[in-house]
Amino acid sequence: MGLAMLVKKSHLNADQQEVADIIGLENYRALVDAFGGSPIWIPKARSLVSSPEISEHIRIRRQQGDSPEQIARELEIPVSEVRRLSK
C-alpha cells in the first residue's frame, strides 16, 4: 500500500474527509493507492440504473401501499417523475 497506509484523517481536507467518512479510512487509503493523482468521475445513480428498473421498483412499492411522495423522497427524485414512471 506504500505511503497511503500513513494517511490519517487529519491529512484530508473537508471534502476528502467526507468521502473517508462514507467509505471508511481504509477504503479511502485504497483509493489513494490505486487512483492517487488521477481524475476519476463518479456517476450519479440515475445514469447507472435504467428507467425500466426504476419503474419496476416504483410499481412494486406502489403495490405495497407506498405513496408517490414516500417513494420520491426515498429515491431523491421528483414526485412527478415517480408518477410518470409508475404508468
Side-chain angles (χ1 to χ4, degrees):
M1 185 173 271
L3 284 175
M5 69 181 176
L6 300 178
V7 172
K8 297 177 185 173
K9 193 170 178 183
S10 61
H11 295 134
L12 309 177
N13 67 32
D15 289 337
Q16 294 164 338
Q17 285 183 17
E18 187 175 350
V19 172
D21 287 343
I22 292 169
I23 67 171
L25 188 56
E26 282 302 313
N27 288 328
Y28 191 85
R29 288 179 182 138
L31 281 175
V32 167
D33 195 43
F35 299 102
S38 301
I40 60 171
W41 176 71
I42 301 170
K44 291 185 177 191
R46 183 63 179 98
S47 67
L48 297 171
V49 182
S50 70
S51 290
E53 288 178 275
I54 298 168
S55 294
E56 180 64 19
H57 176 79
I58 291 170
R59 276 193 291 278
I60 291 168
R61 292 285 306 275
R62 293 288 288 140
Q63 289 171 354
Q64 294 172 347
D66 293 328
S67 71
E69 292 77 17
Q70 289 172 311
I71 299 166
R73 198 170 29 257
E74 177 192 285
L75 297 179
E76 298 177 348
I77 61 175
V79 175
S80 60
E81 188 171 359
V82 169
R83 289 189 175 110
R84 182 180 63 78
L85 291 170
S86 64
K87 294 180 180 180

